[in-house]
Amino acid sequence: MAGQTGAVIARIRDVRLGPFDLVVERRSDGTIRARSPHRLGDYPARLTWCLEHWAGRAPDRTFLAKRDHAGGWRRLSYAETLRGVRRIGQALLERGLSAERPLAILSGNDLEHALLALAAQHVGVPYAPISPAYSLVSKDFGKLRYIMELLTPGLVFTTSGTAYHAAIAAAVAPETEVVVTAEPPSGRAVTAFADLLATEPSTAVEAAAARVGPDSIGKFLFTSGSTGLPKAVINTQRMLCSNQAMIATMLAFLQDEPPVMVDWLPWHHTAGGNHNVGLVLYNGGTLYIDDGRPTAAEIAETVRNLREVATTFYVNVPKGFEALLPHLEADADLRERFFSRLRLMFYAGAHLAQHVWEALQRHALEATGERILMLTGLGATETAPFVFMPGKEAGRAGEVGLPAPGIELKLVPLDQARFDVRLRGPNVTPGYWRQEELTAEAFDEEGFFRLGDALRFLDPAAPEKGFVFDGRIAEDFKLSSGTRVNVGELRRTVIAHFAPLLRDAVIAGHDRDEVTVLLLPDAEACRRLFADIAPSDRELLGSAPLRRVLQERLDTLAQAATGSSNHVARALLLEEAPSI
């Protein structure tokens, strides 16, 4: 492999990517403006234009598929999806829904969710997909109540009335109509989803669709609320459609053949709901909804799906790729199937550990004789989300590449190397719904959105080589000595140094004399290392052999420190996982 004298560098499977160039202008106030020199191409005024387009060009092609209770694939073609969208769109119009009384979806990824969401967008009714955890994991439903009070929905949908009964009773106003796919809850009148789908469409549906334009609100996406209560990010049709044009420009191979994806990423999050569903629809592809998850208990379902479906584009979080590895290692048929048509792997949400990357490339070589390009990027819920992507495989962790055409960057110096990155473009949100103060804070005096991330040039002498992510500005803090701690960079260093034993790490020490860390262990990885130590996870995490290994890692981490800002003085292993 590369880096060894006389080694042969394996060929990377050919994949067509977009133009990667940068125009830089240095201002007298010290700020830098940067953008792609290429013009963003035209894009539709509303996302459901793509549904109409592909229903006309490839009516029988599968758009969405999900396993039914018998284990077979239940499919919706483009033509079937459009028929359902028009019927449900009529039902939504008859209910007088609007931005003031939108549609709220409580449950996860499924065909009914997709039909409702597209129908709402088609007739100009905003909708809000809400994290199921707020209904199924939370005990007090505090965030769900807050969201419902902020949205004032006119219609609430869920798959199972029984599973979501407590959440609906606690957070949904009695006068609000509730639609369920199955299992209506006791004690509350509900509407069956089948009734919406049975509605006969009229000319009002296409008249409403004709009124939907770039400034129409498509959806409200809620941020995670990690720094407070969730914020409702307004997603306009301009944002959704321009961002898909950016993706299709940078990931140009998507235009060469309709993409095929197997994907579990949740639709209440911008990566799953905007990026992945959107790129399949925009490019006339097929999305197989994966009910698996990157855990020991649920990865088997993902493996089952990947044995049946050869994807052309695979997106996952680092933990997802890590959970898949043992199965690729053990199953030659799975390896061959997984890599057979794959053009690109893409990860987001966190840093991909080097050992995971190397193992994936080794398996690709074994299966195909080629390496498969692995890329990442950077974006936000407020940017729909696509902003940055590298034009080649990153040579180091954190490389995010260059901005897509149509995006203008404003780089405000934080120090000699780091910049506060701000941006504007057609994919940037106009603000937060019914939260004017938060909206005002999110933009600077020139109308640039404050991304909240720090970037630096990969090579200051050659800006066109792209940017490196350098942490969340809001997370950084100072020690009592006044020394600033770059939390994002240190967190990545800690996780990589302890790999694969950690799920995450929390950096602490604000206004203290030294940096400390909370270690969130990966119990599955720890058990693979110490298979016979203890019968339970709690006993394993408290065992002397594991503690000894963690102490050794902490010692070597401290020895590599260059100063107080990256010297971890103490670490606490959390034996219980954090709760919502």
Side-chain angles (χ1 to χ4, degrees):
M1 296 299 291
Q4 296 178 357
T5 303
V8 176
I9 300 176
R11 185 170 74 89
I12 297 178
R13 178 171 289 177
D14 183 52
V15 59
R16 191 165 69 94
L17 300 178
F20 290 86
D21 307 285
L22 193 69
V23 175
V24 174
E25 177 188 352
R26 300 181 187 273
R27 298 290 179 91
S28 58
D29 61 0
T31 63
I32 296 175
R33 300 294 173 91
R35 60 176 176 81
S36 168
H38 303 279
R39 175 185 171 273
L40 180 65
D42 296 334
Y43 49 86
R46 56 178 168 82
L47 197 57
T48 57
W49 177 91
C50 303
L51 177 61
E52 294 173 315
H53 173 77
W54 292 110
R57 287 194 58 183
D60 298 327
R61 181 183 299 160
T62 298
F63 169 37
L64 296 167
K66 189 178 190 297
R67 290 196 188 275
D68 58 24
H69 293 300
W73 288 107
R74 179 185 164 210
R75 299 170 183 267
L76 283 177
S77 70
Y78 276 92
E80 290 169 331
T81 303
L82 182 58
R83 286 195 293 270
V85 160
R86 286 173 171 158
R87 288 175 172 274
I88 296 170
Q90 177 69 40
L92 299 181
L93 289 175
E94 291 173 0
R95 285 159 170 79
L97 302 181
S98 65
E100 303 300 322
R101 300 179 61 250
L103 164 68
I105 297 178
L106 300 187
S107 49
N109 306 359
D110 61 26
L111 301 184
E112 289 76 19
H113 180 149
L115 287 171
L116 266 169
L118 289 168
Q121 290 193 65
H122 191 61
V123 298
V125 173
Y127 78 102
I130 298 165
S131 171
Y134 294 159
S135 298
L136 301 179
V137 179
S138 174
K139 302 301 182 185
D140 61 4
F141 307 112
K143 286 188 176 180
L144 183 62
R145 271 197 298 268
Y146 170 80
I147 288 171
M148 290 297 167
E149 290 169 1
L150 182 67
L151 284 179
T152 60
L155 185 68
V156 173
F157 167 76
T158 184
T159 51
S160 166
T162 300
Y164 286 81
H165 173 68
I168 291 170
V172 179
E175 65 274 14
T176 302
E177 183 179 8
V178 174
V179 173
V180 300
T181 305
E183 301 171 336
S186 59
R188 180 165 187 147
V190 297
T191 302
F193 175 83
D195 293 344
L196 301 187
L197 197 56
T199 308
E200 198 64 35
S202 71
T203 56
V205 172
E206 298 318 311
R211 293 192 294 270
V212 176
D215 292 317
S216 300
I217 299 174
K219 62 169 76 171
F220 302 111
L221 279 180
F222 283 87
T223 58
S224 63
S226 59
T227 55
L229 289 169
K231 296 175 288 189
V233 180
I234 299 169
N235 280 233
T236 65
Q237 290 294 330
R238 177 182 287 105
M239 289 174 63
L240 299 173
C241 295
S242 68
N243 206 231
Q244 287 304 320
M246 293 173 184
I247 293 169
T249 300
M250 302 291 268
L251 300 175
F253 74 94
L254 294 173
Q255 304 173 57
D256 298 335
E257 64 173 330
V260 176
M261 295 185 69
V262 171
D263 188 51
W264 69 271
L265 293 179
W267 293 350
H268 64 265
H269 189 273
T270 186
N274 281 2
H275 187 280
N276 294 353
V277 175
L279 74 83
V280 169
L281 176 58
Y282 195 85
N283 297 285
T286 300
L287 176 66
Y288 291 84
I289 299 170
D290 178 15
D291 285 334
R293 292 294 184 273
T295 67
E298 297 174 287
I299 190 62
E301 180 63 18
T302 295
V303 171
R304 175 193 185 192
N305 295 333
L306 291 174
R307 281 199 180 101
E308 293 187 21
V309 181
T311 64
T312 61
F313 183 38
Y314 192 67
V315 180
N316 213 325
V317 296
K319 184 62 183 174
F321 281 108
E322 185 176 335
L324 187 59
L325 275 180
H327 299 274
L328 292 172
E329 183 79 40
D331 190 334
D333 290 339
L334 175 64
R335 284 199 303 274
E336 185 173 345
R337 183 73 166 165
F338 179 67
F339 291 112
S340 61
R341 298 181 62 199
L342 191 59
R343 312 300 295 172
L344 182 74
M345 293 183 286
F346 195 94
Y347 70 93
H351 168 56
L352 183 72
Q354 185 66 22
H355 75 279
V356 177
W357 183 92
E358 291 174 354
L360 287 167
Q361 296 301 342
R362 184 176 67 253
H363 294 318
L365 276 169
E366 291 169 356
T368 69
E370 298 175 308
R371 292 175 51 224
I372 307 295
L373 198 62
M374 169 72 83
L375 297 180
T376 187
L378 180 66
T381 307
E382 291 86 348
T383 61
F386 193 89
V387 176
F388 294 90
M389 198 192 81
K392 60 175 180 59
E393 200 154 56
R396 68 173 77 174
E399 281 189 41
V400 297
L402 294 173
I407 296 170
E408 181 185 7
L409 301 183
K410 178 182 178 181
L411 305 170
V412 180
L414 293 169
D415 52 41
Q416 290 184 337
R418 301 171 75 223
F419 296 90
D420 170 8
V421 60
R422 306 173 189 184
L423 57 97
R424 59 187 178 191
N427 62 318
V428 175
T429 182
Y432 303 105
W433 183 245
R434 293 174 172 169
Q435 295 172 306
E436 294 181 3
E437 287 188 11
L438 291 177
T439 298
E441 293 171 2
F443 295 87
D444 71 9
E445 66 283 354
E446 294 183 283
F448 284 85
F449 175 70
R450 303 175 190 268
L451 193 59
D453 292 326
L455 296 181
R456 53 187 166 85
F457 287 110
L458 177 63
D459 181 352
E464 68 278 4
K465 291 184 178 180
F467 295 94
V468 177
F469 178 73
D470 208 358
R472 290 285 297 168
I473 296 170
E475 294 177 347
D476 291 354
F477 59 79
K478 289 184 178 180
L479 299 172
S480 59
S481 62
T483 300
R484 177 174 293 277
V485 177
N486 184 340
V487 169
E489 181 65 27
L490 183 55
R491 174 177 166 271
R492 286 195 301 275
T493 298
V494 170
I495 293 172
H497 190 78
F498 282 83
L501 302 177
L502 299 184
R503 286 189 180 274
D504 210 338
V506 179
I507 310 300
H510 177 72
D511 284 342
R512 300 297 181 95
D513 295 337
E514 55 199 9
V515 175
T516 57
V517 175
L518 304 180
L519 304 177
L520 281 67
D522 185 326
E524 299 162 21
C526 293
R527 188 163 293 286
R528 286 196 295 270
L529 189 63
F530 299 101
D532 303 321
I533 290 288
S536 70
D537 286 348
R538 178 180 286 275
E539 289 174 305
L540 171 65
L541 296 176
S543 67
L546 176 59
R547 297 281 176 152
R548 186 162 52 249
V549 168
L550 295 174
Q551 183 65 58
E552 291 169 356
R553 299 276 183 100
L554 184 63
D555 291 343
T556 55
L557 181 67
Q559 291 166 10
T562 57
S564 61
S565 66
N566 58 17
H567 180 271
V568 178
R570 294 190 309 282
L572 176 67
L573 184 67
L574 301 186
E575 295 181 0
E576 292 185 13
S579 72
I580 191 169

